[in-house]
Amino acid sequence: MTVRSYFNQTTITIKTQDEISLIRQSSHHASSLLLHLSPSIQPGTTTSTLDDISSQYVEELGLTSAPLNYGGIGMTVANSGSQLCIYAHNLAHLIVTTFTLYVYGWSIFSSSNSIPRGNGVYVGVPFCGFPKSICTSVNDVVCHGIPSRDEALVSGDIINVDVTVITGEGWHGDTSKVWMVGKAWDYLEVVDLDDEGWDDGLTERERDRVRLSVVTRESMYYGIHACGEGRQIGDIGRAIQGHVEGYGYAVVREYSGHGIKRFHEGPRVFHHSSSSGDDLLLREGMV
Protein backbone atom coordinates (compact mmCIF):
# COMPACT_ATOMS: atom_id res chain seq x y z
CA MET A 1 0.00 0.00 0.00
CA THR A 2 1.05 3.63 -0.36
CA VAL A 3 0.55 6.82 1.59
CA ARG A 4 1.04 10.37 0.39
CA SER A 5 3.65 12.56 2.06
CA TYR A 6 1.85 15.89 2.23
CA PHE A 7 4.94 18.01 2.75
CA ASN A 8 6.75 17.07 -0.44
CA GLN A 9 4.05 15.31 -2.47
CA THR A 10 6.18 12.19 -2.74
CA THR A 11 4.72 8.71 -2.57
CA ILE A 12 5.73 6.69 0.48
CA THR A 13 5.39 2.97 -0.12
CA ILE A 14 4.60 0.70 2.82
CA LYS A 15 6.58 -2.45 2.08
CA THR A 16 5.60 -6.02 2.79
CA GLN A 17 8.03 -8.34 4.56
CA ASP A 18 8.82 -10.00 1.23
CA GLU A 19 9.62 -6.63 -0.33
CA ILE A 20 11.79 -5.68 2.63
CA SER A 21 13.68 -8.95 2.14
CA LEU A 22 14.35 -8.03 -1.50
CA ILE A 23 15.55 -4.55 -0.50
CA ARG A 24 17.79 -6.17 2.11
CA GLN A 25 19.34 -8.36 -0.58
CA SER A 26 20.04 -5.43 -2.89
CA SER A 27 21.44 -3.46 0.05
CA HIS A 28 23.75 -6.36 0.86
CA HIS A 29 25.13 -6.15 -2.68
CA ALA A 30 25.68 -2.40 -2.31
CA SER A 31 27.49 -2.95 0.99
CA SER A 32 29.69 -5.64 -0.58
CA LEU A 33 30.67 -3.12 -3.27
CA LEU A 34 31.95 -0.70 -0.62
CA LEU A 35 33.93 -3.50 1.04
CA HIS A 36 35.37 -4.40 -2.35
CA LEU A 37 36.51 -0.80 -2.85
CA SER A 38 38.11 -0.39 0.57
CA PRO A 39 41.61 -1.74 -0.26
CA SER A 40 41.83 0.73 -3.16
CA ILE A 41 41.23 3.83 -1.01
CA GLN A 42 44.92 4.71 -0.96
CA PRO A 43 47.05 7.78 -1.69
CA GLY A 44 47.56 8.10 -5.44
CA THR A 45 44.39 6.29 -6.46
CA THR A 46 42.19 8.40 -8.73
CA THR A 47 38.48 8.59 -8.20
CA SER A 48 38.06 7.47 -11.80
CA THR A 49 39.91 4.26 -10.91
CA LEU A 50 37.43 3.68 -8.09
CA ASP A 51 34.61 4.10 -10.60
CA ASP A 52 36.22 1.58 -12.96
CA ILE A 53 36.61 -0.96 -10.13
CA SER A 54 32.99 -0.44 -9.12
CA SER A 55 31.67 -0.82 -12.66
CA GLN A 56 33.51 -4.11 -13.15
CA TYR A 57 32.38 -5.48 -9.78
CA VAL A 58 28.72 -4.58 -10.33
CA GLU A 59 28.83 -6.14 -13.79
CA GLU A 60 30.32 -9.34 -12.36
CA LEU A 61 27.42 -9.49 -9.89
CA GLY A 62 24.97 -9.20 -12.77
CA LEU A 63 23.58 -5.93 -11.40
CA THR A 64 23.22 -2.37 -12.68
CA SER A 65 24.66 0.85 -11.24
CA ALA A 66 21.76 3.23 -10.69
CA PRO A 67 23.73 6.51 -10.84
CA LEU A 68 25.01 5.90 -14.39
CA ASN A 69 22.96 8.10 -16.77
CA TYR A 70 20.65 9.06 -13.91
CA GLY A 71 18.96 12.38 -14.57
CA GLY A 72 19.29 12.16 -18.34
CA ILE A 73 16.81 11.31 -21.04
CA GLY A 74 17.17 7.64 -20.12
CA MET A 75 15.35 7.95 -16.80
CA THR A 76 12.80 5.22 -16.16
CA VAL A 77 9.63 4.79 -14.16
CA ALA A 78 11.67 2.76 -11.66
CA ASN A 79 13.91 5.75 -10.97
CA SER A 80 11.46 8.64 -11.20
CA GLY A 81 8.29 7.18 -9.73
CA SER A 82 5.78 8.03 -12.47
CA GLN A 83 5.43 8.40 -16.22
CA LEU A 84 4.37 12.03 -15.80
CA CYS A 85 7.63 12.78 -14.00
CA ILE A 86 9.54 11.29 -16.92
CA TYR A 87 7.75 13.47 -19.49
CA ALA A 88 8.31 16.66 -17.49
CA HIS A 89 11.90 15.69 -16.71
CA ASN A 90 12.80 14.86 -20.30
CA LEU A 91 11.18 18.00 -21.67
CA ALA A 92 13.14 20.18 -19.26
CA HIS A 93 16.39 18.43 -20.19
CA LEU A 94 15.77 18.81 -23.91
CA ILE A 95 15.29 22.56 -23.44
CA VAL A 96 18.43 22.93 -21.33
CA THR A 97 20.44 20.71 -23.67
CA THR A 98 19.43 22.78 -26.70
CA PHE A 99 20.46 25.94 -24.89
CA THR A 100 23.80 24.40 -23.83
CA LEU A 101 24.62 23.33 -27.39
CA TYR A 102 23.64 26.78 -28.65
CA VAL A 103 26.01 28.49 -26.20
CA TYR A 104 28.97 26.06 -26.24
CA GLY A 105 28.56 24.24 -29.53
CA TRP A 106 29.58 20.66 -30.28
CA SER A 107 33.09 21.31 -28.94
CA ILE A 108 31.95 19.97 -25.56
CA PHE A 109 32.18 16.50 -27.11
CA SER A 110 35.69 17.08 -28.48
CA SER A 111 37.48 14.72 -26.08
CA SER A 112 36.70 11.66 -23.98
CA ASN A 113 37.59 13.58 -20.82
CA SER A 114 35.54 16.69 -21.55
CA ILE A 115 33.01 16.31 -18.74
CA PRO A 116 32.90 19.76 -17.12
CA ARG A 117 33.27 19.62 -13.34
CA GLY A 118 33.20 22.25 -10.64
CA ASN A 119 33.83 21.24 -7.02
CA GLY A 120 32.48 17.80 -7.84
CA VAL A 121 29.31 19.14 -9.43
CA TYR A 122 28.45 17.91 -12.91
CA VAL A 123 27.79 20.85 -15.19
CA GLY A 124 27.81 18.98 -18.47
CA VAL A 125 25.02 18.42 -20.97
CA PRO A 126 21.93 17.37 -18.98
CA PHE A 127 20.81 15.16 -21.85
CA CYS A 128 23.58 12.74 -20.93
CA GLY A 129 22.61 12.29 -17.29
CA PHE A 130 25.06 11.43 -14.51
CA PRO A 131 28.24 10.25 -16.24
CA LYS A 132 29.65 7.71 -13.75
CA SER A 133 28.60 4.60 -11.82
CA ILE A 134 29.35 5.91 -8.32
CA CYS A 135 29.61 9.26 -6.57
CA THR A 136 32.99 10.21 -5.05
CA SER A 137 32.92 13.29 -2.84
CA VAL A 138 36.34 14.39 -1.61
CA ASN A 139 36.91 16.85 1.24
CA ASP A 140 34.64 19.88 0.82
CA VAL A 141 32.39 18.26 -1.80
CA VAL A 142 29.15 17.65 0.09
CA CYS A 143 27.77 14.82 -2.05
CA HIS A 144 27.28 13.49 -5.60
CA GLY A 145 30.86 14.24 -6.67
CA ILE A 146 31.91 13.02 -10.12
CA PRO A 147 34.83 10.56 -10.39
CA SER A 148 37.70 11.97 -12.43
CA ARG A 149 41.03 10.70 -13.72
CA ASP A 150 42.50 14.07 -12.68
CA GLU A 151 41.50 13.65 -9.02
CA ALA A 152 44.07 11.57 -7.12
CA LEU A 153 43.66 10.91 -3.42
CA VAL A 154 46.31 12.19 -0.99
CA SER A 155 46.98 11.25 2.62
CA GLY A 156 44.57 12.97 4.98
CA ASP A 157 41.76 13.30 2.44
CA ILE A 158 38.18 12.52 3.42
CA ILE A 159 36.32 10.65 0.71
CA ASN A 160 32.70 9.56 0.67
CA VAL A 161 31.74 6.93 -1.88
CA ASP A 162 28.01 6.71 -2.60
CA VAL A 163 26.74 3.63 -4.43
CA THR A 164 23.36 2.35 -5.56
CA VAL A 165 22.87 -0.99 -7.30
CA ILE A 166 19.78 -2.38 -9.02
CA THR A 167 18.86 -6.06 -9.09
CA GLY A 168 17.29 -7.69 -12.11
CA GLU A 169 13.88 -7.29 -10.49
CA GLY A 170 14.41 -3.54 -10.10
CA TRP A 171 15.12 -3.39 -6.37
CA HIS A 172 17.63 -0.77 -5.26
CA GLY A 173 20.28 -0.88 -2.58
CA ASP A 174 21.60 2.59 -1.72
CA THR A 175 24.41 3.27 0.75
CA SER A 176 27.67 5.16 1.22
CA LYS A 177 30.81 5.10 3.32
CA VAL A 178 33.45 7.61 4.39
CA TRP A 179 37.15 6.83 4.43
CA MET A 180 40.14 8.75 5.74
CA VAL A 181 42.96 8.29 3.26
CA GLY A 182 46.24 7.13 4.79
CA LYS A 183 47.14 6.40 8.41
CA ALA A 184 44.29 8.50 9.81
CA TRP A 185 41.93 5.66 8.85
CA ASP A 186 43.28 3.53 11.71
CA TYR A 187 42.38 6.28 14.17
CA LEU A 188 38.91 6.73 12.77
CA GLU A 189 37.92 3.15 13.58
CA VAL A 190 38.95 3.16 17.25
CA VAL A 191 39.14 6.76 18.44
CA ASP A 192 37.25 8.02 21.47
CA LEU A 193 37.20 11.81 21.46
CA ASP A 194 36.89 11.83 25.25
CA ASP A 195 40.24 10.07 25.66
CA GLU A 196 43.15 12.38 26.37
CA GLY A 197 45.81 12.10 23.71
CA TRP A 198 43.54 10.42 21.15
CA ASP A 199 45.16 12.51 18.43
CA ASP A 200 48.79 11.62 19.20
CA GLY A 201 50.68 11.07 15.97
CA LEU A 202 48.25 12.98 13.77
CA THR A 203 48.92 16.21 11.93
CA GLU A 204 46.58 19.12 12.62
CA ARG A 205 44.87 18.51 9.27
CA GLU A 206 44.35 14.84 10.04
CA ARG A 207 43.16 15.55 13.60
CA ASP A 208 40.50 18.00 12.46
CA ARG A 209 39.21 15.60 9.84
CA VAL A 210 39.14 12.60 12.15
CA ARG A 211 37.18 14.62 14.71
CA LEU A 212 34.68 15.75 12.07
CA SER A 213 34.24 12.21 10.75
CA VAL A 214 33.80 10.66 14.20
CA VAL A 215 31.17 13.21 15.23
CA THR A 216 29.34 12.73 11.92
CA ARG A 217 29.33 8.95 12.34
CA GLU A 218 28.02 9.29 15.90
CA SER A 219 25.25 11.57 14.66
CA MET A 220 24.18 8.85 12.23
CA TYR A 221 23.68 6.44 15.13
CA TYR A 222 21.76 9.08 17.06
CA GLY A 223 19.48 9.39 14.03
CA ILE A 224 19.05 5.61 13.77
CA HIS A 225 18.17 5.36 17.46
CA ALA A 226 15.49 8.02 16.92
CA CYS A 227 13.66 5.74 14.47
CA GLY A 228 10.71 3.67 15.56
CA GLU A 229 7.07 3.07 14.78
CA GLY A 230 4.98 5.98 16.03
CA ARG A 231 7.94 8.35 16.28
CA GLN A 232 7.92 11.55 14.24
CA ILE A 233 10.27 11.74 11.28
CA GLY A 234 11.51 15.05 12.66
CA ASP A 235 12.94 13.18 15.66
CA ILE A 236 15.68 11.89 13.35
CA GLY A 237 16.82 15.33 12.25
CA ARG A 238 16.60 16.78 15.74
CA ALA A 239 18.80 14.00 17.10
CA ILE A 240 21.41 14.52 14.40
CA GLN A 241 21.39 18.31 14.65
CA GLY A 242 21.65 18.32 18.42
CA HIS A 243 24.73 16.10 18.40
CA VAL A 244 26.73 17.82 15.67
CA GLU A 245 25.99 21.32 16.91
CA GLY A 246 27.17 20.29 20.36
CA TYR A 247 30.63 19.91 18.81
CA GLY A 248 30.48 23.21 16.96
CA TYR A 249 29.56 21.80 13.56
CA ALA A 250 26.59 22.61 11.34
CA VAL A 251 24.17 20.49 9.32
CA VAL A 252 23.98 20.71 5.53
CA ARG A 253 20.40 21.77 4.85
CA GLU A 254 20.33 21.62 1.06
CA TYR A 255 20.23 17.82 0.95
CA SER A 256 18.31 15.16 2.84
CA GLY A 257 17.90 11.45 3.21
CA HIS A 258 15.01 9.66 1.52
CA GLY A 259 12.94 6.55 1.42
CA ILE A 260 13.81 3.79 -1.01
CA LYS A 261 12.19 1.03 -2.98
CA ARG A 262 13.11 1.73 -6.57
CA PHE A 263 15.71 4.46 -5.95
CA HIS A 264 14.33 7.71 -4.51
CA GLU A 265 10.94 7.91 -2.87
CA GLY A 266 9.42 9.59 0.16
CA PRO A 267 9.70 10.55 2.85
CA ARG A 268 12.44 13.15 2.84
CA VAL A 269 14.57 12.73 5.94
CA PHE A 270 16.07 16.06 6.95
CA HIS A 271 19.19 16.08 9.11
CA HIS A 272 17.93 19.04 11.08
CA SER A 273 14.74 20.34 12.63
CA SER A 274 12.44 21.42 9.81
CA SER A 275 8.98 22.90 9.50
CA SER A 276 8.32 20.70 6.45
CA GLY A 277 6.56 17.61 7.68
CA ASP A 278 8.45 17.03 10.92
CA ASP A 279 5.30 15.55 12.45
CA LEU A 280 4.96 12.77 9.86
CA LEU A 281 4.66 9.52 11.84
CA LEU A 282 6.95 6.60 11.05
CA ARG A 283 5.09 3.39 10.27
CA GLU A 284 6.08 -0.24 10.11
CA GLY A 285 7.04 -1.08 6.53
CA MET A 286 8.73 2.23 5.70
CA VAL A 287 12.28 1.89 4.40
Side-chain angles (χ1 to χ4, degrees):
M1 64 177 296
T2 61
V3 294
R4 181 67 61 175
S5 171
Y6 64 88
F7 65 94
N8 62 5
Q9 296 301 305
T10 300
T11 298
I12 302 171
T13 307
I14 304 301
K15 287 80 175 175
T16 66
Q17 289 302 312
D18 287 342
E19 290 174 329
I20 291 174
S21 178
L22 292 169
I23 295 175
R24 183 177 288 114
Q25 291 176 22
S26 60
S27 298
H28 173 77
H29 290 309
S31 178
S32 73
L33 171 56
L34 294 177
L35 291 174
H36 182 73
L37 282 174
S38 191
S40 300
I41 309 293
Q42 300 289 341
T45 301
T46 67
T47 51
S48 181
T49 297
L50 298 178
D51 181 72
D52 292 339
I53 295 171
S54 299
S55 297
Q56 181 178 352
Y57 183 76
V58 171
E59 183 178 353
E60 290 173 354
L61 291 177
L63 307 174
T64 303
S65 293
L68 185 62
N69 298 322
Y70 179 78
I73 291 299
M75 281 190 69
T76 65
V77 172
N79 282 346
S80 67
S82 73
Q83 192 66 46
L84 179 60
C85 287
I86 295 175
Y87 291 145
H89 175 90
N90 290 348
L91 177 60
H93 277 304
L94 283 172
I95 293 172
V96 175
T97 298
T98 302
F99 175 77
T100 303
L101 291 174
Y102 175 77
V103 173
Y104 296 102
W106 292 98
S107 61
I108 57 175
F109 298 110
S110 60
S111 72
S112 60
N113 195 35
S114 62
I115 299 172
R117 300 172 70 252
N119 293 326
V121 178
Y122 178 51
V123 292
V125 181
F127 182 89
C128 301
F130 192 85
K132 298 292 183 177
S133 296
I134 60 174
C135 302
T136 53
S137 305
V138 180
N139 296 330
D140 61 343
V141 178
V142 174
C143 61
H144 305 155
I146 312 299
S148 169
R149 69 185 71 178
D150 298 323
E151 185 175 51
L153 300 177
V154 299
S155 184
D157 277 348
I158 298 175
I159 178 173
N160 174 271
V161 180
D162 188 353
V163 304
T164 307
V165 299
I166 314 175
T167 65
E169 297 78 22
W171 297 96
H172 288 64
D174 184 4
T175 186
S176 71
K177 185 177 178 64
V178 169
W179 284 266
M180 296 287 299
V181 181
K183 66 178 181 179
W185 174 250
D186 298 327
Y187 288 77
L188 186 60
E189 291 297 283
V190 299
V191 68
D192 185 341
L193 298 180
D194 294 327
D195 289 344
E196 185 176 354
W198 68 265
D199 55 348
D200 290 346
L202 293 177
T203 65
E204 182 178 0
R205 179 175 185 261
E206 291 170 334
R207 182 187 69 242
D208 292 343
R209 291 167 181 233
V210 168
R211 184 176 184 270
L212 171 63
S213 298
V214 169
V215 171
T216 303
R217 181 176 60 190
E218 291 174 347
S219 74
M220 176 186 68
Y221 289 119
Y222 274 92
I224 292 173
H225 291 156
C227 294
E229 188 174 13
R231 299 287 298 272
Q232 294 183 347
I233 197 166
D235 292 339
I236 301 172
R238 285 187 286 270
I240 294 172
Q241 182 179 8
H243 186 65
V244 300
E245 289 184 351
Y247 283 86
Y249 298 120
V251 174
V252 174
R253 295 171 179 261
E254 288 78 10
Y255 294 93
S256 67
H258 56 86
I260 188 168
K261 180 179 182 181
R262 299 180 185 274
F263 220 175
H264 304 112
E265 69 168 40
R268 294 187 67 184
V269 185
F270 292 102
H271 302 156
H272 58 89
S273 180
S274 169
S275 60
S276 299
D278 262 11
D279 58 348
L280 179 73
L281 295 181
L282 298 176
R283 296 177 52 183
E284 181 179 358
M286 288 182 177
V287 180

